[in-house]
Short mmCIF file of all heavy atoms in Angstrom, two decimals:
data_model
loop_
_atom_site.label_atom_id
_atom_site.label_comp_id
_atom_site.label_asym_id
_atom_site.label_seq_id
_atom_site.Cartn_x
_atom_site.Cartn_y
_atom_site.Cartn_z
N ARG A 1553 30.28 -1.58 -55.73
CA ARG A 1553 30.71 -2.25 -56.95
C ARG A 1553 30.28 -1.34 -58.12
O ARG A 1553 30.93 -1.06 -59.07
CB ARG A 1553 30.05 -3.62 -57.08
CG ARG A 1553 30.70 -4.59 -58.01
CD ARG A 1553 29.95 -5.83 -58.15
NE ARG A 1553 29.73 -6.10 -59.59
CZ ARG A 1553 28.72 -6.57 -60.14
NH1 ARG A 1553 27.72 -7.00 -59.53
NH2 ARG A 1553 28.83 -6.77 -61.44
N SER A 1560 35.30 4.22 -63.18
CA SER A 1560 36.25 3.80 -64.18
C SER A 1560 35.67 4.19 -65.61
O SER A 1560 36.36 3.99 -66.55
CB SER A 1560 36.63 2.27 -64.11
OG SER A 1560 35.48 1.61 -64.54
N ASN A 1643 27.87 -20.89 -70.24
CA ASN A 1643 27.75 -20.56 -71.64
C ASN A 1643 27.62 -21.71 -72.57
O ASN A 1643 27.00 -21.66 -73.55
CB ASN A 1643 29.06 -19.81 -72.04
CG ASN A 1643 29.18 -18.34 -71.64
OD1 ASN A 1643 30.03 -17.58 -72.10
ND2 ASN A 1643 28.28 -17.96 -70.77
N GLU A 1646 23.83 -22.70 -73.23
CA GLU A 1646 23.17 -21.82 -74.12
C GLU A 1646 23.09 -22.26 -75.55
O GLU A 1646 22.25 -22.09 -76.32
CB GLU A 1646 23.84 -20.42 -74.21
CG GLU A 1646 23.50 -19.62 -72.81
CD GLU A 1646 23.99 -18.22 -72.92
OE1 GLU A 1646 24.29 -17.74 -73.99
OE2 GLU A 1646 24.28 -17.68 -71.78
N VAL A 1647 24.11 -23.10 -75.84
CA VAL A 1647 24.16 -23.66 -77.28
C VAL A 1647 24.01 -25.23 -77.33
O VAL A 1647 23.93 -25.71 -78.41
CB VAL A 1647 25.53 -23.15 -78.01
CG1 VAL A 1647 25.45 -21.69 -78.19
CG2 VAL A 1647 26.67 -23.66 -77.32
N SER A 1697 33.19 -18.69 -61.14
CA SER A 1697 33.25 -17.33 -60.85
C SER A 1697 31.88 -16.89 -59.90
O SER A 1697 32.02 -16.15 -59.01
CB SER A 1697 33.23 -16.44 -62.00
OG SER A 1697 33.26 -15.04 -61.79
N GLU A 1707 36.47 -26.64 -61.86
CA GLU A 1707 37.62 -27.51 -61.34
C GLU A 1707 37.25 -28.92 -61.17
O GLU A 1707 38.04 -29.78 -61.52
CB GLU A 1707 37.95 -26.91 -59.96
CG GLU A 1707 38.48 -25.52 -59.80
CD GLU A 1707 39.93 -25.37 -60.38
OE1 GLU A 1707 40.66 -26.16 -60.14
OE2 GLU A 1707 40.13 -24.43 -61.19
N LYS A 1713 37.97 -34.98 -66.08
CA LYS A 1713 38.72 -35.06 -67.28
C LYS A 1713 40.12 -35.72 -67.06
O LYS A 1713 40.60 -36.52 -67.77
CB LYS A 1713 38.89 -33.69 -67.97
CG LYS A 1713 37.69 -33.07 -68.62
CD LYS A 1713 37.86 -31.68 -69.14
CE LYS A 1713 36.70 -31.14 -69.88
NZ LYS A 1713 36.89 -29.60 -70.10
N GLN A 1714 40.72 -35.23 -65.93
CA GLN A 1714 42.02 -35.81 -65.62
C GLN A 1714 41.92 -37.37 -65.44
O GLN A 1714 42.63 -38.17 -65.96
CB GLN A 1714 42.56 -35.22 -64.19
CG GLN A 1714 43.07 -33.88 -64.49
CD GLN A 1714 43.27 -33.18 -63.02
OE1 GLN A 1714 43.25 -33.86 -61.98
NE2 GLN A 1714 43.46 -31.94 -63.02
N HIS A 1730 42.51 -33.91 -78.87
CA HIS A 1730 42.87 -32.54 -78.79
C HIS A 1730 43.73 -32.39 -77.53
O HIS A 1730 44.81 -31.64 -77.68
CB HIS A 1730 41.58 -31.75 -78.48
CG HIS A 1730 41.67 -30.24 -78.41
ND1 HIS A 1730 41.06 -29.44 -79.09
CD2 HIS A 1730 42.45 -29.60 -77.42
CE1 HIS A 1730 41.44 -28.19 -78.80
NE2 HIS A 1730 42.26 -28.28 -77.77
N ARG A 1731 43.41 -32.93 -76.46
CA ARG A 1731 44.30 -32.80 -75.21
C ARG A 1731 45.55 -33.42 -75.34
O ARG A 1731 46.58 -32.89 -75.00
CB ARG A 1731 43.51 -33.39 -74.01
CG ARG A 1731 42.62 -32.40 -73.27
CD ARG A 1731 41.35 -32.24 -73.93
NE ARG A 1731 40.51 -31.04 -73.40
CZ ARG A 1731 39.43 -30.64 -74.08
NH1 ARG A 1731 38.94 -31.13 -75.18
NH2 ARG A 1731 38.74 -29.65 -73.53
N GLU A 1746 50.72 -25.00 -85.19
CA GLU A 1746 49.31 -24.92 -85.41
C GLU A 1746 48.98 -25.79 -86.66
O GLU A 1746 47.83 -26.23 -86.92
CB GLU A 1746 48.67 -23.60 -85.44
CG GLU A 1746 48.73 -22.99 -84.06
CD GLU A 1746 48.34 -21.58 -84.04
OE1 GLU A 1746 48.67 -20.85 -85.04
OE2 GLU A 1746 47.67 -21.12 -83.06
N LYS A 1779 47.64 -15.77 -94.20
CA LYS A 1779 47.53 -15.95 -92.74
C LYS A 1779 48.01 -17.31 -92.31
O LYS A 1779 48.32 -17.52 -91.18
CB LYS A 1779 46.08 -15.75 -92.44
CG LYS A 1779 45.75 -15.56 -90.94
CD LYS A 1779 44.15 -15.39 -90.76
CE LYS A 1779 43.77 -15.40 -89.37
NZ LYS A 1779 44.45 -14.56 -88.43
N SER A 1787 60.48 -23.16 -79.71
CA SER A 1787 61.00 -22.39 -78.65
C SER A 1787 62.55 -22.80 -78.40
O SER A 1787 62.84 -23.92 -78.57
CB SER A 1787 60.18 -22.64 -77.36
OG SER A 1787 61.02 -22.12 -76.31
N SER A 1795 61.70 -32.24 -71.37
CA SER A 1795 62.08 -32.99 -70.16
C SER A 1795 61.32 -32.70 -68.90
O SER A 1795 61.05 -33.66 -68.17
CB SER A 1795 63.54 -32.56 -69.99
OG SER A 1795 64.23 -33.28 -68.97
N LYS A 1801 55.11 -36.05 -65.75
CA LYS A 1801 54.29 -37.31 -66.27
C LYS A 1801 54.79 -38.51 -65.28
O LYS A 1801 53.98 -39.28 -65.00
CB LYS A 1801 54.47 -37.59 -67.53
CG LYS A 1801 53.88 -36.59 -68.58
CD LYS A 1801 52.38 -36.99 -68.83
CE LYS A 1801 51.66 -35.97 -69.59
NZ LYS A 1801 50.22 -36.18 -69.67
N ALA B 1208 48.87 -18.68 -86.35
CA ALA B 1208 47.83 -18.32 -87.22
C ALA B 1208 47.31 -16.82 -87.13
O ALA B 1208 46.50 -16.38 -87.82
CB ALA B 1208 46.54 -19.25 -86.97
N GLU B 1211 49.54 -11.38 -87.49
CA GLU B 1211 49.42 -9.96 -87.50
C GLU B 1211 49.22 -9.50 -86.02
O GLU B 1211 49.33 -8.29 -85.90
CB GLU B 1211 48.00 -9.67 -88.22
CG GLU B 1211 46.79 -10.17 -87.65
CD GLU B 1211 46.42 -11.64 -87.79
OE1 GLU B 1211 47.34 -12.45 -88.42
OE2 GLU B 1211 45.37 -12.09 -87.38
N ALA B 1233 60.60 -19.39 -73.58
CA ALA B 1233 59.31 -19.73 -72.99
C ALA B 1233 58.54 -20.80 -73.86
O ALA B 1233 58.97 -21.12 -74.92
CB ALA B 1233 58.38 -18.39 -72.98
N SER B 1238 46.95 -23.33 -72.56
CA SER B 1238 45.54 -22.73 -72.94
C SER B 1238 44.37 -23.38 -72.11
O SER B 1238 43.42 -23.56 -72.65
CB SER B 1238 45.24 -22.79 -74.42
OG SER B 1238 45.18 -24.23 -74.77
N LYS B 1242 45.82 -28.17 -67.48
CA LYS B 1242 45.19 -28.53 -66.11
C LYS B 1242 44.26 -29.69 -66.23
O LYS B 1242 44.06 -30.42 -65.29
CB LYS B 1242 44.37 -27.31 -65.72
CG LYS B 1242 43.93 -27.49 -64.31
CD LYS B 1242 43.49 -26.03 -63.79
CE LYS B 1242 42.16 -25.80 -64.16
NZ LYS B 1242 41.64 -24.44 -63.57
N GLU B 1243 43.73 -29.91 -67.45
CA GLU B 1243 42.82 -31.13 -67.60
C GLU B 1243 43.64 -32.39 -67.57
O GLU B 1243 43.11 -33.40 -67.29
CB GLU B 1243 41.99 -30.92 -68.88
CG GLU B 1243 41.09 -29.76 -68.84
CD GLU B 1243 40.39 -29.45 -70.15
OE1 GLU B 1243 40.68 -29.96 -71.17
OE2 GLU B 1243 39.38 -28.70 -70.06
N ASP B 1244 44.87 -32.23 -67.85
CA ASP B 1244 45.77 -33.35 -67.67
C ASP B 1244 46.17 -33.49 -66.35
O ASP B 1244 46.05 -34.50 -65.69
CB ASP B 1244 47.01 -33.14 -68.64
CG ASP B 1244 47.58 -34.37 -69.10
OD1 ASP B 1244 48.13 -35.10 -68.21
OD2 ASP B 1244 47.63 -34.86 -70.33
N GLU B 1306 65.88 -29.67 -64.14
CA GLU B 1306 66.03 -29.39 -65.58
C GLU B 1306 66.82 -28.18 -65.82
O GLU B 1306 67.00 -27.70 -66.96
CB GLU B 1306 64.66 -29.06 -66.40
CG GLU B 1306 63.59 -30.15 -66.11
CD GLU B 1306 64.03 -31.58 -66.45
OE1 GLU B 1306 64.95 -31.72 -67.39
OE2 GLU B 1306 63.64 -32.57 -65.92
N ASP B 1365 35.72 -5.00 -63.34
CA ASP B 1365 34.70 -5.81 -62.81
C ASP B 1365 34.47 -6.93 -63.70
O ASP B 1365 34.29 -6.75 -64.97
CB ASP B 1365 33.39 -5.11 -62.58
CG ASP B 1365 32.39 -5.89 -61.90
OD1 ASP B 1365 31.58 -6.65 -62.55
OD2 ASP B 1365 32.23 -5.73 -60.67
N TYR B 1367 32.18 -8.83 -64.44
CA TYR B 1367 30.87 -8.91 -65.23
C TYR B 1367 30.48 -7.64 -65.90
O TYR B 1367 29.46 -7.67 -66.69
CB TYR B 1367 29.79 -9.26 -64.11
CG TYR B 1367 30.24 -10.50 -63.33
CD1 TYR B 1367 30.44 -10.22 -61.95
CD2 TYR B 1367 30.22 -11.78 -63.80
CE1 TYR B 1367 30.76 -11.31 -61.10
CE2 TYR B 1367 30.55 -12.82 -63.02
CZ TYR B 1367 30.90 -12.62 -61.68
OH TYR B 1367 31.23 -13.68 -60.90
N ASN B 1374 37.27 1.90 -72.44
CA ASN B 1374 37.93 3.10 -72.15
C ASN B 1374 39.07 3.38 -73.12
O ASN B 1374 39.34 4.56 -73.47
CB ASN B 1374 38.44 2.97 -70.67
CG ASN B 1374 37.42 3.22 -69.64
OD1 ASN B 1374 36.34 3.89 -69.94
ND2 ASN B 1374 37.69 2.70 -68.47
N ARG B 1387 25.55 -7.94 -74.77
CA ARG B 1387 25.64 -8.95 -73.78
C ARG B 1387 27.01 -9.80 -73.94
O ARG B 1387 27.61 -10.06 -73.06
CB ARG B 1387 24.40 -9.78 -73.82
CG ARG B 1387 24.49 -10.80 -72.66
CD ARG B 1387 23.14 -11.59 -72.51
NE ARG B 1387 23.42 -12.85 -71.65
CZ ARG B 1387 23.62 -14.00 -72.18
NH1 ARG B 1387 23.79 -14.17 -73.51
NH2 ARG B 1387 23.84 -14.97 -71.40
N CYS B 1392 31.84 -16.45 -73.64
CA CYS B 1392 32.83 -17.43 -74.31
C CYS B 1392 32.61 -17.25 -75.90
O CYS B 1392 31.47 -17.36 -76.31
CB CYS B 1392 32.56 -18.72 -73.82
SG CYS B 1392 33.64 -20.01 -74.65
N SER B 1399 37.21 -27.64 -82.09
CA SER B 1399 37.78 -28.73 -82.79
C SER B 1399 36.88 -29.98 -82.69
O SER B 1399 36.95 -30.77 -83.63
CB SER B 1399 39.22 -29.06 -82.18
OG SER B 1399 39.03 -29.73 -80.94
N TYR B 1400 36.01 -30.04 -81.75
CA TYR B 1400 35.17 -31.32 -81.71
C TYR B 1400 33.76 -31.13 -81.51
O TYR B 1400 32.97 -31.93 -81.83
CB TYR B 1400 35.75 -32.18 -80.64
CG TYR B 1400 35.80 -31.65 -79.25
CD1 TYR B 1400 34.59 -31.89 -78.38
CD2 TYR B 1400 36.77 -30.88 -78.77
CE1 TYR B 1400 34.62 -31.27 -77.10
CE2 TYR B 1400 36.73 -30.27 -77.50
CZ TYR B 1400 35.64 -30.53 -76.72
OH TYR B 1400 35.60 -29.96 -75.41
N ARG B 1407 27.78 -21.77 -83.16
CA ARG B 1407 26.50 -21.10 -82.79
C ARG B 1407 26.85 -20.01 -81.58
O ARG B 1407 26.19 -18.97 -81.71
CB ARG B 1407 25.49 -22.14 -82.23
CG ARG B 1407 24.50 -22.65 -83.30
CD ARG B 1407 23.30 -22.95 -82.57
NE ARG B 1407 23.36 -24.04 -81.70
CZ ARG B 1407 23.35 -25.39 -81.97
NH1 ARG B 1407 23.42 -25.73 -83.27
NH2 ARG B 1407 23.51 -26.35 -81.04
#
Side-chain angles (χ1 to χ4, degrees):
Chain A
R1553 206 187 127 215
S1560 70
N1643 281 198
E1646 289 184 21
V1647 293
S1697 182
E1707 295 288 315
K1713 287 174 175 171
Q1714 286 168 11
H1730 180 125
R1731 271 78 191 171
E1746 289 173 326
K1779 193 178 172 57
S1787 163
S1795 186
K1801 292 273 177 190
Chain B
E1211 71 280 1
S1238 65
K1242 188 164 84 179
E1243 297 176 342
D1244 205 296
E1306 305 309 327
D1365 182 279
Y1367 311 108
N1374 286 336
R1387 180 173 169 269
C1392 176
S1399 76
Y1400 60 92
R1407 267 209 299 277

